Structure formats: structure tokens, C-alpha cells
Amino acid sequence: AQRVTQPEKLLSVFKGAPVELKCNYSYSGSPELFWYVQYSRQRLQLLLRHISRESIKGFTADLNKGETSFHLKKPFAQEEDSAMYYCALSGQGAQKLVFGQGTRLTINP
Amino acid sequence: EAQVTQNPRYLITVTGKKLTVTCSQNMNHEYMSWYRQDPGLGLRQIYYSMNVEVTDKGDVPEGYKVSRKEKRNFPLILESPSPNQTSLYFCASSLLSGSKRGEQYFGPGTRLTVT
């Protein structure tokens, strides 16, 4: 079974501080991992996926298969990063996307 | 512009009155899905479709129906809505192959209140 756990419902950091949003997953095969973001009053949108290995808006995420984690990191938080962040997993070859419960990130000025 | 649209955006209805929420995408995506978003529970999948006439249950399908008669449309039907279906609903679509497979595009959401 596929499962995604985001242990922090709320995370608050100061502007300029590093931020890390945790994501752990459970899946027996080779997963595809994603981070989606939902800004206030907007629809969910893809932030990044582990296959692309890109840095989007200063965020990066590394898939750690040994720890079954896909934490989202940014070295210097900005106020516009305040949003709801969802980690999601898709099993290889399948399109069922399972989401974590989400973490609401607040960046304080 | 590539997008997923949903209608209506807001709906207040009464218990038992059948309703349909429409979803349409213009990206020729094979895959479409419905989610509900509830505080503390995140996004939960209701139904999904891999192609025309191919649908399957997600994690919380009870009380919902879907159909996929055309590739671009994937309506969500509540035959007899109940208050526990009060939620924010999102439709999403994606490709099934290629470098963008699995990257879901979401609609703006439909806020449903059942009294």
C-alpha cells in the first residue's frame, strides 16, 4: 500500500531562516515523489518532482530511499513561501497519486 | 491556455438533492481524478479515470459517481448528498506517458455545502 506522512501540520519560521518540510513515504516498489503547493485562494500546483532534480523557487528535495523520505528544503525562506505544501507519491507505472495531510508553512517577517 | 475548469465554484444544497460538478480539461490528458480536501485530512482521492469509459474507485468513493464519456470531461455526481460530503472538491488531470506523466494539473476547486 502507498502511504505518505507529513508529520508537521504547521510550520512557522522567520524570513531568511532555512526551512525543511518533512515527508516520509511507504511503498514497496520504486516511487515517484512530488511536492505540490497551494497558495492562499489558489489551486494546487506542482512545485517539483524528484525525477527532474530541479530547484524551483529556491526549493529542492532529495529522494532518500534508505530513509524513505523526500524532504523539501530551502536555505533562506521568503514571505511569499507561505502556503500549504503537500507531498505526494505515485507508484511506478500507476497514476494513483496519494497525498500526505499537508503542512501549512508560515514565514514570519 | 492549458487549464482544468470546474463548475460551479460554490454550491449550497440540501440533503438528498442530486447534483453534478463538472470538470473539463483542454490538454488532451488521458488521466483525470477527483479529490476532496478536508481540514486535517489533506487530499483524498474519490475516483479516477485512465481513459474514456475507464474509471476506478479511489480511497473515498462512497456516495459519489463519475462518468467519462469524453476525454475532456469527468463529471462528479452526488446522487443523494449528505452533510458529511460538505467539502472542497478538486478535479485534476495528467498525461500517462512521457516526461510529464503523473504531473497533475488541478482545477480551481468547488466548495460544496450540504445542509
Side-chain angles (χ1 to χ4, degrees):
Chain A
Q2 301 168 208
R3 177 173 287 182
V4 177
T5 303
Q6 293 179 251
E8 304 138 328
K9 287 188 176 180
L10 303 170
L11 184 61
S12 182
V13 301
F14 286 101
K15 178 182 173 181
V19 61
E20 180 180 52
L21 290 85
K22 291 184 168 50
C23 172
N24 291 92
Y25 68 89
S26 173
Y27 183 65
S28 56
S30 293
E32 294 196 39
L33 276 296
F34 305 82
W35 276 100
Y36 283 82
V37 61
Q38 187 178 27
Y39 300 103
S40 180
R41 300 182 188 279
Q42 294 186 28
R43 67 186 73 192
L44 278 89
Q45 55 187 285
L46 179 69
L47 182 62
L48 53 81
R49 62 187 299 177
H50 86 274
I51 288 179
S52 63
R53 295 183 175 274
E54 290 178 308
S55 173
I56 306 294
K57 299 185 179 183
F59 284 97
T60 59
D62 292 317
L63 177 60
N64 186 324
K65 291 188 177 181
E67 295 183 357
T68 61
S69 68
F70 188 56
H71 303 327
L72 184 68
K73 300 177 183 178
K74 185 169 183 176
F76 306 103
Q78 298 171 304
E79 288 186 63
E80 54 264 34
D81 295 330
S82 293
M84 192 76 173
Y85 291 81
Y86 290 96
C87 182
L89 176 152
S90 176
Q92 190 175 28
Q95 292 305 313
K96 182 176 169 60
L97 197 63
V98 175
F99 286 84
Q101 295 96 326
T103 297
R104 182 169 296 282
L105 176 64
T106 301
I107 308 301
N108 300 305
Chain B
E1 180 190 354
Q3 60 180 344
V4 178
T5 57
Q6 293 178 228
N7 281 291
R9 295 288 312 279
Y10 303 91
L11 180 59
I12 300 174
T13 189
V14 296
T15 299
K17 186 176 181 182
K18 181 179 178 180
L19 66 91
T20 298
V21 184
T22 64
C23 173
S24 183
Q25 50 92 6
N26 62 359
M27 296 168 280
N28 203 35
H29 285 170
E30 301 93 348
Y31 181 86
M32 298 186 76
S33 180
W34 276 103
Y35 300 90
R36 60 178 290 174
Q37 184 182 39
D38 302 289
L41 297 176
L43 282 158
R44 293 179 294 169
Q45 190 176 48
I46 302 170
Y47 269 95
Y48 65 97
S49 171
M50 304 282 273
N51 215 323
V52 175
E53 303 291 0
V54 180
T55 63
D56 209 346
K57 296 178 181 179
D59 297 313
V60 288
E62 294 78 19
Y64 304 95
K65 284 176 59 177
V66 293
S67 68
R68 188 92 182 272
K69 293 182 169 54
E70 302 167 284
K71 195 172 186 178
R72 64 184 293 124
N73 296 322
F74 191 46
L76 179 70
I77 304 156
L78 284 73
E79 295 266 1
S80 183
S82 62
N84 64 12
Q85 293 179 296
T86 292
S87 187
L88 179 59
Y89 291 86
F90 287 99
C91 180
S93 71
S94 71
L95 291 168
L96 282 177
S97 60
S99 62
K100 298 289 187 182
R101 72 181 184 280
E103 292 184 11
Q104 297 200 3
Y105 290 77
F106 282 82
T110 295
R111 186 167 293 281
L112 172 65
T113 302
V114 183
T115 61

